[in-house]
Amino acid sequence: MAPYDDTTGETRFDSFHVFRTPFKKIGDHDIEVGILVPKDLKPGKHPLIVKFHGGGLVYGDCLFAKWIAAWFIPFIHRNNAITVLPNYRLTPEHTGNDILEDLTDFWAWFNGGGVEKFLASQNISAELDYDRVLASGDSAGGYMAIQLGLTRPKGEIKAVLAQYPMTTFARRKPDTAGLGGELPPPTSFIDEHMASVQPGAVISSAVPPARSNLSLALDAHGRFNDYFGTGRRLWPITAIEDAKHMPPTYIIHGEQDRAVVVGDTKAFVKKAEELLPGVEVRLDVRDDNRDHGFDIDMKEDEEPWLKESLKWVEERWLA
């Protein structure tokens, strides 16, 4: 078994120095970023992972360890990487344009030395390798990672690793249960929530399970886009039409995913290959009743397909 391979949601971050700091302020509200520095950090230049959290663009938090897959921990350590995990504003209080604005502002902070300055304030001296940046994320985080890859100049993102990404808006039938077995609340639940929102409120973190029912309701009653908005730039499936390039991209998805339709991912990959000849996209669709988040407890050494695919990612990220 690989070192650090045997962690749980409760112990996922035990091998890291864990930090949290603002990268942006809106009024009195800090939008924060988490930073994971391995306790066994070796000397040298450190490649970077930018890891976005999931939650349907409605809930989640940058340092919610239970949503980071077990296999990700040895992956970080063996590559001597520093991981940067941004929060972003959440819908329905905020629009897709607001969220993409946060993505742009995070990238300016990141490229402007924000990580080094913060680590220096914590007496950590580390040379960061901006020529080797991996964008990663699960579900809504996969959406963010792909959007970053499609919009940054060629070479700024060396590779993308996306787990069951939202390439278009999520939807479900009103009688489809969530991952915890709960049925979506009625559409009035959304109206009541919005009526309770204070004018000017900024929401950029909601630790699960907070707001999970809100996410279910928005998807089940077809009201997500009422708040998130529509437009070509807002979703990878249409943003790819204006893209000039796409970094090498690896995508994992479960065939029986109830939260993010696997057909959306297949359609995105097909479109990318048609519009960007020569693009490198590797899609692993896993069957055996694999649902959303199926890989959370996976260990790389027990899954040969995963081991091989992560090697593919490393070869492109660290080239």
Side-chain angles (χ1 to χ4, degrees):
M1 182 176 288
Y4 307 109
D5 199 35
D6 196 19
T7 62
T8 66
E10 289 71 26
T11 64
R12 205 73 93 213
F13 292 160
D14 285 1
S15 59
F16 298 98
H17 299 293
V18 182
F19 303 100
R20 194 177 185 110
T21 187
F23 74 86
K24 176 178 178 175
K25 199 176 189 73
I26 300 177
D28 294 329
H29 181 89
D30 290 332
I31 301 182
E32 296 180 314
V33 58
I35 302 173
L36 301 179
V37 179
K39 290 178 179 177
D40 65 350
L41 194 69
K42 301 169 185 63
K45 234 177 171 183
H46 304 289
L48 291 154
I49 301 173
V50 175
K51 179 86 165 69
F52 297 95
H53 71 78
L57 299 168
V58 177
Y59 67 120
D61 180 77
C62 60
L63 289 175
F64 186 59
K66 291 182 180 179
W67 279 1
I68 293 180
W71 57 260
F72 215 88
I73 303 308
F75 179 77
I76 296 171
H77 278 282
R78 72 165 172 264
N79 289 302
N80 203 29
I82 289 175
T83 307
V84 185
L85 308 96
N87 273 338
Y88 45 88
R89 280 175 286 179
L90 300 168
T91 210
E93 293 84 358
H94 308 288
T95 67
N97 284 322
D98 293 335
I99 293 169
L100 293 184
E101 179 182 276
D102 292 344
L103 184 62
T104 298
D105 291 342
F106 160 73
W107 195 248
W109 175 86
F110 176 82
N111 268 342
V115 180
E116 287 104 325
K117 290 171 189 174
F118 175 77
L119 291 180
S121 76
Q122 305 299 309
N123 297 314
I124 294 176
S125 177
E127 186 179 4
L128 307 187
D129 190 348
Y130 289 95
D131 291 329
R132 293 176 173 84
V133 177
L134 173 68
S136 182
D138 57 292
S139 195
Y143 160 82
M144 298 290 282
I146 290 173
Q147 289 285 67
L148 188 64
L150 290 176
T151 54
R152 300 314 309 163
K154 188 173 184 177
E156 286 192 12
I157 305 297
K158 287 296 291 292
V160 172
L161 195 172
Q163 299 152 265
Y164 22 90
M166 295 171 68
T167 56
T168 186
F169 63 94
R171 63 254 181 226
R172 66 175 64 233
K173 295 177 181 178
D175 60 352
T176 303
L179 297 177
E182 69 280 24
L183 289 173
T187 191
S188 59
F189 183 86
I190 302 168
D191 300 323
E192 292 164 4
H193 172 83
M194 294 307 294
S196 73
V197 175
Q198 296 297 315
V202 179
I203 310 297
S204 64
S205 172
V207 176
R211 292 167 60 104
S212 60
N213 278 342
L214 180 60
S215 183
L216 275 176
L218 288 165
D219 296 348
H221 301 295
R223 297 186 60 185
F224 183 90
N225 286 345
D226 294 349
Y227 304 99
F228 186 82
T230 58
R232 286 162 58 89
R233 71 187 290 264
L234 292 186
W235 292 108
I237 193 66
T238 43
I240 191 75
E241 296 169 6
D242 300 317
K244 301 295 187 293
H245 70 95
M246 185 168 127
T249 298
Y250 173 54
I251 301 175
I252 304 172
H253 212 129
E255 187 69 54
Q256 306 302 322
D257 196 317
R258 286 177 289 165
V260 177
V261 180
V262 70
D264 292 345
T265 292
K266 293 176 180 178
F268 171 74
V269 169
K270 183 174 184 291
K271 200 168 188 179
E273 291 173 339
E274 291 172 350
L275 295 176
L276 299 171
V279 69
E280 288 189 279
V281 189
R282 181 173 177 137
L283 173 60
D284 253 333
V285 177
R286 310 308 298 178
D287 208 339
D288 305 324
N289 296 316
R290 304 296 182 119
D291 203 345
H292 204 64
F294 70 90
D295 62 326
I296 289 299
D297 295 320
M298 277 187 176
K299 297 173 176 58
E300 179 184 330
D301 284 349
E302 296 174 2
E303 303 287 345
W305 64 271
L306 180 60
K307 191 179 188 74
E308 180 186 346
S309 294
L310 292 180
K311 183 180 178 184
W312 185 93
V313 172
E314 289 166 329
E315 287 171 349
R316 284 144 186 84
W317 167 33
L318 303 173

